[in-house]
Amino acid sequence: MSSMTGPRRPGRWRKSSRSGESTNCVEIGQAPGLVGIRDTKNREGGTLVVGSAAFGALLTAVKAGRLG
C-alpha cells in the first residue's frame, strides 16, 4: 500500500455517480499514469495505488461481469 504524495498526488477524489448518497463505496483519484483507490468511510486509512492500465483492466473485467 502506498500514498500519493508530491507531484503525483491527485487533485480531486471522486466516487461513482451510481453510488448516490451511499457511504459504502470507494473513491478514486488520478495522477499521471496512476490511479489511487481509497475507502470513502476511512479516507485516512491508506491509499492503494495502481497503474492506469491495471485500473482500466479492472474496470473492463467488472463491466464484463468476470469478477462475479
Side-chain angles (χ1 to χ4, degrees), residues 29-62:
Q30 294 180 292
L34 299 172
V35 176
I37 306 163
R38 67 184 183 186
D39 184 346
T40 301
K41 293 184 295 187
N42 185 12
R43 292 179 175 127
E44 301 302 318
T47 302
L48 174 65
V49 179
V50 298
S52 296
F55 187 73
L58 172 66
L59 289 181
T60 298
V62 167

